[in-house]
């Protein structure tokens, strides 16, 4: 277990559901309740200093329970290390606290995950679709989005 | 159009109708608006460039204002988000106007059979000439322009006059 995961486990032991360091990539599966606290700790701890949220994405594990997953990829420019944080969310309640207050750059990633998977980021300043247009129906990257589904063809607004 | 030249070299005269005279002028001064959203646009540049030289057919003055253009050349993938924009541009063009759908993407969605791509621009506007290919080569574009010229010359009905197809 890498240093990052050790620090995380020491501070948030019961919040961590699982960890691994396969191929040298530190990964922690955490519970969603205190996610903002965990991310703030990763950003601010003098030994961690994750100042760069490289990516946030959603995953749909259709048929598994919990169905959805949110993945954060974090990088520290000063310490030159990385960590991957994963959170599982249930299908009937795909809600997680927004991390925009921790890294403002994560804003558009959260909107993308909302747009594509319908994951709701509680407390996001502007949680609207970012790639699709407003009249789009459904969340296209969900595995149960019908492949041949067509959207209504929209005309120019009057 | 009948042209008769006197044998002594004096200027002759031409007999024609006003319609065919107008059509003749129109045919050699097409102003295309290239609505290039993807890779097909690169082939349009090739067709307009010196090697293929679309200006030989009088259609090289590209207008990026729809109000000054009379041929809409849709070159590229059109998705649902872009569709209303394209339709608005079409509506802004003055009559008479013609539409060329270039490439499989614009014509039918092509291999983008997915959640976001419009399956053919003829869902939202009349199309006069389709160019097959992915991408069509510049000869295809030249051929489409010549087809448009034929439509103008012969006074054949434009697609707009039989649209929407029921
Ligand atoms: S038809 Fe082919 S070349 Fe043209 S826009 Fe589509 S993918 Fe690109």
């Amino acid at each position: 277990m890498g240093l990052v995961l050790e620090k995380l486990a020491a501070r948030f032991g019961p919040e961590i559901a699982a960890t691994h360091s396969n191929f040298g990539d530190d990964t922690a599966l955490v519970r969603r309740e205190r996610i903002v606290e965990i991310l703030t700790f990763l950003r601010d701890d003098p030994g961690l200093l994750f100042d760069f949220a490289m990516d946030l994405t959603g995953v749909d594990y259709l048929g598994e329970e919990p169905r959805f997953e949110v993945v954060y990829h974090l990088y520290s420019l000063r310490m030159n290390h990385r960590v991957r944080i994963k959170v599982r969310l249930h299908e009937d309640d795909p809600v997680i606290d927004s991390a925009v207050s921790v890294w403002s750059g994560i804003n558009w990633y959260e909107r993308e995950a909302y747009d594509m998977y319908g994951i709701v980021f509680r407390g996001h300043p502007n949680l609207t679709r970012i790639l699709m247009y407003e009249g789009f129906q459904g969340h296209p990257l969900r595995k149960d989005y019908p492949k041949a589904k067509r959207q209504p063809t929209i005309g120019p607004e009057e | 159009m009948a042209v008769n030249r006197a044998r002594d070299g004096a200027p002759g005269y031409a007999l024609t109708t006003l319609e065919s005279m107008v059509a003749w002028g129109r045919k050699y001064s097409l102003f295309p608006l290239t609505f290039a959203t993807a890779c097909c646009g690169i082939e349009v540049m090739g067709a307009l460039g010196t090697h293929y030289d679309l200006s030989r057919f009088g259609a090289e003055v590209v207008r990026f204002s729809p109000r000054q253009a009379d041929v809409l050349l849709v070159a590229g993938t059109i998705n649902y988000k872009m569709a209303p924009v394209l339709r608005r541009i079409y509506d802004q063009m003055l009559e008479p106007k013609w539409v060329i759908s270039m490439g499989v993407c614009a014509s039918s969605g092509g291999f983008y059979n997915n959640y976001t791509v419009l399956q053919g621009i003829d869902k939202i506007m009349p199309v006069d000439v389709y160019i097959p290919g992915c991408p069509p080569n510049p000869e295809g574009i030249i051929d489409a322009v010549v087809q448009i010229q034929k439509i103008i010359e012969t006074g054949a009905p434009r697609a707009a006059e039989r649209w929407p197809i029921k």
Side-chain angles (χ1 to χ4, degrees), chain B residues 20-71:
Chain B
S20 49
M21 201 64 207
V22 169
W24 179 79
R26 196 172 260 159
K27 158 181 163 191
Y28 289 118
S29 60
L30 291 171
F31 283 18
L33 186 156
T34 51
F35 193 87
T37 51
C39 11
C40 270
I42 306 296
E43 294 296 314
V44 178
M45 295 170 211
L48 291 167
T50 49
H51 193 87
Y52 289 95
D53 199 10
L54 202 53
S55 63
R56 290 179 293 155
F57 303 90
E60 86 284 16
V61 189
V62 179
R63 292 290 149 184
F64 288 105
S65 164
R67 296 178 204 283
Q68 298 171 346
D70 43 21
V71 176

Side-chain angles (χ1 to χ4, degrees), chain A residues 131-133 140 150 153 157, chain B residues 80-81 88 113-115 124:
Chain A
L131 296 173
M132 296 295 132
Y133 48 94
R150 299 281 165 242
T153 309
E157 63 276 32
Chain B
Y80 287 113
K81 206 172 174 178
R88 166 159 293 187
N113 182 7
N114 63 19
Y115 59 88
I124 57 165

Side-chain angles (χ1 to χ4, degrees), chain B residues 38-40 76-77 103-105 111-112 133-135:
Chain B
C39 11
C40 270
T77 324
V104 290
C105 285
F111 43 76
Y112 295 116
C134 175

Side-chain angles (χ1 to χ4, degrees), chain B residues 47-128:
Chain B
L48 291 167
T50 49
H51 193 87
Y52 289 95
D53 199 10
L54 202 53
S55 63
R56 290 179 293 155
F57 303 90
E60 86 284 16
V61 189
V62 179
R63 292 290 149 184
F64 288 105
S65 164
R67 296 178 204 283
Q68 298 171 346
D70 43 21
V71 176
L72 180 59
L73 178 52
V74 183
T77 324
I78 302 298
N79 52 37
Y80 287 113
K81 206 172 174 178
M82 186 61 93
V85 179
L86 179 59
R87 175 69 210 198
R88 166 159 293 187
I89 284 180
Y90 175 78
D91 288 340
Q92 284 176 339
M93 289 169 61
L94 300 178
E95 293 284 351
K97 52 193 172 186
W98 295 267
V99 177
I100 299 174
S101 168
M102 177 182 176
V104 290
C105 285
S107 303
S108 70
F111 43 76
Y112 295 116
N113 182 7
N114 63 19
Y115 59 88
T116 185
V117 174
L118 185 68
Q119 302 293 297
I121 60 165
D122 46 13
K123 297 240 185 323
I124 57 165
M125 58 169 58
V127 176
D128 290 281

